[in-house]
Each structure stands twice: as structure tokens, then as C-alpha cells.
């Protein structure tokens, strides 16, 4: 049996799942971020599967989503993708230090990051910032922040007929994102176990990003612990088999 409990850390709403009777015990821990326009409850199935196996699962709410909907204006919610990503990367560290560490909830520093779509992009950006991450799972994410920025800008231009940013704002955004782009900041000597899952027919986050990064890592660091599972038929939705693959991988690496 498992226990679910709701809390908040510095105004960040969280759902936490863990084995019943071990609510305050140190456990291997997974911090799992949801996708763009989604909400934390959408990922409760991951929490259920992993809490049953002895893990603590932490599901935060990203700014402007779910319970935090009012934190962004409609314009910010529509065009503020990277602002949400960067704030969530920062909040990952806040949750870890101000709550998990303070209450001694992580067993032997075993803490992983994971997410779907935007949550996976948050996860991959966090790898450039924090050495405390023990393992990472990207489900439909891309580490190529710069090229994904260009793709988003092209979508905005098609949608609006013009860009919602000035050239100066775009340059400032790209400069800010450079340090979070894992494809440009990957250090083979500090590589941790990484798992990628992606549908080949994904029309939201390019499949090519995960594939290219996987090939880059295998070439630069053949000994690196990285796995890439491809679903040739899947679009922008993690299949049941994909969920099972991610859960099984985490059991081996956390």
C-alpha cells in the first residue's frame, strides 16, 4: 500500500507518494515534473508504480499551471515557456534543499529527476546546474535548448504572423539559455545514468533531439550509462510500455 500527501515548499504545491508507514523515512527519491499546460496530478501513475517499489515520488506544480495558474498572465502562459522551465529548474533545488534535505527524506543521496515533455526539458537543463542529481529520465524531452528555441519562435511566427519578442529580447533569452543547454555543457567525466524515451512521430518536441544527443554521448563517452528507447509508432504521449520501461530503468539505477 502507498500513502499520498499534499504539502507545499516555499509556495510550491507538491504531491508526495511513498510506501505506507514510511512517510518520514529516508527513501530513494524521484522528483517528477509535468508537461506544458499540464498539472502534477497527471503523473500520479508514475508515483503509484514507484511508491509500491519503495521510492518517494515528489510531484511539484510548475508556475502558471494547475494550482499555480494565477501566477502567470494569459500572455505569459502562452509565450513564457522558457521562463517556466528556468523557474522550475531553480525550484528543483529549492525543493531538494529546503524540504527533502531539511527533513532527511532522501536515502544515501539517491535522488533522481524526471519529467514528461516540458518536465523532461526541465530535467535535462537541471543536469547542467546541480551535482546532487543521481539519475535522470527524459520522456519526450530535448537537451537542445537553442534549436528548440528557434522551433518555438517559428511556431509563434506562424501562429501570430509576427514574433511576440523583439530581436533584443530574443538575443537576451538565448544568452540566458546557453548555460542550461545540456548538448553544449555535457561533461563525460561527470556523467550520471540517463534514460530517454521518445515517440518517433512526436510533433511537439522533435524526436531528433534525443536521438542526436544519445549518439553524441555514446561517441564521446562510450562507457556512459545512457539508454534510449524509441517507439516508432508513438506521437507526443508516453505509452504504457514507455512508462514501464522508465520505471524498470529507475529500479536498476537508483
Amino acid at each position: 500500500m502507498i500513502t499520498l500527501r499534499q504539502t507545499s515548499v516555499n509556495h510550491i504545491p507538491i504531491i508526495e507518494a511513498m510506501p505506507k508507514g514510511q512517510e518520514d523515512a529516508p527513501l530513494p527519491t524521484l522528483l517528477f515534473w509535468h508537461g506544458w499546460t499540464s498539472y502534477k496530478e497527471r503523473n500520479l501513475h508514475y508515483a503509484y508504480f514507484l511508491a509500491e517499489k519503495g521510492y518517494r515520488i515528489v510531484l511539484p506544480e510548475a508556475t502558471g499551471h494547475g494550482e499555480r495558474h494565477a501566477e502567470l498572465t494569459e500572455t505569459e502562459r502562452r509565450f513564457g515557456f522558457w521562463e517556466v522551465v528556468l523557474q522550475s529548474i531553480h525550484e528543483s533545488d529549492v525543493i531538494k534543499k529546503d524540504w527533502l534535505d531539511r527533513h532527511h527524506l532522501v536515502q544515501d543521496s539517491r535522488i533522481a529527476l524526471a519529467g514528461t515533455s516540458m518536465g523532461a526539458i526541465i530535467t535535462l537543463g537541471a543536469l547542467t546546474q546541480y551535482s546532487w542529481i543521481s539519475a535522470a529520465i527524459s520522456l519526450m524531452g530535448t537537451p537542445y535548448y537553442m534549436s528548440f528555441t528557434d522551433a518555438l519562435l517559428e511556431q509563434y511566427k506562424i501562429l501570430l504572423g509576427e514574433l511576440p519578442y523583439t530581436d533584443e529580447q530574443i538575443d537576451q533569452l538565448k544568452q540566458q539559455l546557453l548555460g542550461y543547454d545540456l548538448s553544449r555543457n555535457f561533461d563525460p567525466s561527470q556523467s550520471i545514468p540517463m534514460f530517454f524515451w521518445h515517440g518517433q512521430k512526436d510533433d511537439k518536441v522533435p524526436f531528433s533531439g534525443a536521438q542526436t544527443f544519445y549518439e553524441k554521448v555514446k561517441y564521446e563517452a562510450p562507457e556512459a550509462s545512457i539508454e534510449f528507447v524509441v517507439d516508432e509508432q508513438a506521437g507526443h504521449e508516453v505509452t504504457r510500455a514507455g512508462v514501464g520501461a522508465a520505471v524498470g530503468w529507475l529500479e536498476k539505477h537508483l
Side-chain angles (χ1 to χ4, degrees):
M1 297 183 68
I2 70 169
T3 297
L4 291 178
R5 86 181 155 189
Q6 293 181 295
T7 186
S8 66
V9 181
N10 290 12
H11 307 293
I12 306 165
I14 285 169
I15 295 177
E16 181 189 15
M18 71 292 288
K20 188 172 180 62
Q22 299 187 60
E23 288 80 3
D24 299 310
L27 296 170
T29 298
L30 176 68
L31 181 59
F32 197 109
W33 285 98
H34 61 76
W36 179 247
T37 71
S38 188
Y39 47 91
K40 60 188 182 303
E41 289 84 359
R42 284 285 299 272
N43 294 315
L44 278 170
H45 52 307
Y46 293 96
Y48 174 80
F49 290 134
L50 286 164
E52 273 201 323
K53 297 177 183 297
Y55 293 86
R56 181 184 309 282
I57 316 301
V58 179
L59 305 173
E61 196 93 85
T63 184
H65 293 70
E67 293 182 55
R68 303 175 71 181
H69 186 270
E71 291 181 12
L72 296 182
T73 66
E74 196 56 42
T75 298
E76 289 170 332
R77 192 173 299 104
R78 197 176 185 189
F79 303 112
F81 178 84
W82 287 117
E83 288 78 1
V84 175
V85 167
L86 295 182
Q87 182 169 331
S88 300
I89 290 173
H90 168 71
E91 289 179 350
S92 297
D93 199 47
V94 170
I95 293 166
K96 193 262 184 184
K97 291 179 177 177
D98 289 359
W99 180 47
L100 294 172
D101 286 354
R102 183 170 295 177
H103 297 285
H104 309 288
L105 296 175
V106 180
Q107 183 185 70
D108 301 327
S109 300
R110 293 158 64 193
I111 180 168
L113 247 63
T116 55
S117 191
M118 179 186 75
I121 293 171
I122 291 166
T123 295
L124 296 170
L127 292 181
T128 68
Q129 307 297 308
Y130 309 127
S131 60
W132 49 259
I133 304 170
S134 302
I137 294 175
S138 168
L139 304 168
M140 308 181 300
T142 177
Y144 288 87
Y145 275 35
M146 307 309 292
S147 59
F148 192 57
T149 298
D150 290 335
L152 287 176
L153 291 172
E154 188 61 29
Q155 289 179 25
Y156 296 158
K157 192 172 183 178
I158 293 172
L159 182 66
L160 300 173
E162 60 182 5
L163 291 176
Y165 305 105
T166 65
D167 290 344
E168 183 180 2
Q169 287 174 321
I170 292 171
D171 288 341
Q172 289 176 348
L173 174 63
K174 288 187 172 182
Q175 284 300 314
Q176 187 179 18
L177 293 176
L178 270 175
Y180 294 89
D181 187 314
L182 185 62
S183 71
R184 296 169 182 245
N185 295 279
F186 176 69
D187 183 350
S189 67
Q190 297 180 0
S191 178
I192 62 168
M194 292 181 286
F195 175 88
F196 287 79
W197 181 95
H198 218 119
Q200 204 162 15
K201 296 181 178 179
D202 193 329
D203 61 350
K204 304 295 184 187
V205 180
F207 163 84
S208 59
Q211 181 183 41
T212 302
F213 182 73
Y214 171 76
E215 293 171 352
K216 167 187 169 73
V217 172
K218 294 302 290 183
Y219 177 77
E220 294 181 358
E223 73 288 352
S225 177
I226 182 169
E227 184 173 341
F228 183 34
V229 175
V230 179
D231 189 313
E232 295 179 354
Q233 301 304 315
H236 194 68
E237 184 175 352
V238 184
T239 63
R240 182 175 179 82
V243 174
V247 169
W249 181 90
L250 193 70
E251 283 190 275
K252 295 177 183 176
H253 292 91
L254 196 62

